[in-house]
Amino acid sequence: NRYDTESSKSRREKLMNEISQNAARQNMVDCQLRTMKVIDPCVLAAFSSVPREKFVGKNQRTIAYADEDLPLGGGRWLIEPMVLARMIQALNVRADDHTMVVGCATGYGTAIMAGLAVSVISVESRLSLVEKAQELLVAIGADNAAVVKSKLVDGFEQEGPYDRILVEGAVGFMPEKLLEQLTPKGVLVSVWRPNGSSCGVASLWSRSGDSFVRTPLFDAQIPVFDEFKPRPEFIF
């Protein structure tokens, strides 16, 4: 009958869309990641398995795998796949690492990290995004990841220290409070864009004695979090 026909058509459309998205995901891995120095097999496998299209709005799903930052509203975005993959590769995440993601938005980077580490704590300052990210992570079976509401610059020291920290965006300054949540041999990755610089540099922060050092990795143009923009200084 008519309802069976409509139901069959809906299933076919859903299957064709899934096949199309799977092909787009593999194309992203082969053409955007592998060709731009992403060689870690674990990182490539994680990007191959996480459905990026689920972490954007419905009107963005056809461009979910484009090689560009996708705005999510409210000062959040999905970082372009190549930059995110190279940042995560630089962290050298091990299977027994406890990790944190700062500014997780809808949870895509968290989902990738969940496929690499034993646990992931993700921080978001907007309750709507906390709830959305947790919902999506549950839906894809990332049961080793949790999302908490906190100021991005504060991280979440209650669950620290962390072996690896991913700041999923660019920063104009790096809070000592965030770096102090690293284990003695832990590292943090973000994109460094101080003083409103138009050119960002993906960088690793690590401990060096009683202080921290930043090691430049590669140029990267991604937006700066509002929370990580230096406040103007008043001069009297």
Side-chain angles (χ1 to χ4, degrees):
N1 63 40
R2 179 170 62 89
Y3 297 106
D4 289 339
T5 301
E6 290 178 352
S7 178
S8 297
K9 181 180 179 182
S10 177
R11 286 196 297 270
R12 285 197 301 272
E13 290 176 347
K14 184 177 180 179
L15 176 61
M16 292 304 294
N17 182 62
E18 185 176 336
I19 292 171
S20 175
Q21 294 290 8
N22 289 344
R25 189 178 315 120
Q26 192 58 50
N27 184 67
M28 173 194 73
V29 170
D30 292 339
C31 300
Q32 296 179 38
L33 306 192
R34 292 183 189 275
T35 60
M36 292 301 292
K37 302 180 181 179
V38 182
I39 59 174
D40 186 314
C42 294
V43 173
L44 291 169
F47 275 84
S48 295
S49 64
V50 176
R52 185 175 166 93
E53 70 274 9
K54 293 187 181 299
F55 295 86
V56 298
K58 290 182 178 179
N59 63 332
Q60 295 174 306
R61 288 178 182 171
T62 57
I63 58 169
Y65 294 97
D67 189 18
E68 60 185 46
D69 304 318
L70 298 180
L72 301 173
R76 295 292 185 270
W77 51 86
L78 256 61
I79 298 174
E80 64 175 281
M82 180 274 290
V83 172
L84 181 61
R86 290 189 67 182
M87 288 170 67
I88 291 175
Q89 178 173 258
L91 283 174
N92 191 25
V93 181
R94 300 161 300 191
D96 60 348
D97 279 342
H98 294 279
T99 66
M100 177 168 67
V101 175
V102 176
C104 71
T106 54
Y108 178 67
T110 302
I112 299 292
M113 293 285 281
L116 301 170
V118 69
S119 69
V120 189
I121 295 293
S122 288
V123 174
E124 249 306 336
S125 58
R126 292 166 172 79
L127 182 59
S128 60
L129 284 175
V130 171
E131 294 172 343
K132 182 64 174 178
Q134 193 62 61
E135 173 189 327
L136 290 171
L137 292 167
V138 169
I140 67 168
D143 55 7
N144 60 334
V147 187
V148 297
K149 185 177 184 299
S150 175
K151 292 181 179 179
L152 303 192
V153 294
D154 289 344
F156 197 70
E157 59 186 348
Q158 294 92 317
E159 294 292 332
Y162 303 96
D163 301 296
R164 301 289 185 266
I165 298 177
L166 166 68
V167 180
E168 209 171 339
V171 300
F173 68 97
M174 182 57 68
E176 193 85 0
K177 183 174 183 178
L178 205 53
L179 293 170
E180 289 290 352
Q181 293 173 45
L182 287 169
T183 58
K185 294 185 178 181
V187 292
L188 177 152
V189 69
S190 183
V191 171
W192 182 236
R193 287 184 61 180
N195 305 317
S197 172
S198 60
C199 182
V201 180
S203 304
L204 271 182
W205 281 259
S206 58
R207 292 182 184 274
S208 177
D210 295 330
S211 61
F212 295 89
V213 294
R214 180 180 68 86
T215 303
L217 300 173
F218 59 91
D219 291 344
Q221 297 297 100
I222 62 174
V224 180
F225 283 122
D226 285 341
E227 294 91 330
F228 286 91
K229 291 178 179 177
R231 298 291 181 261
E233 295 182 4
F234 293 96
I235 301 175
F236 295 94

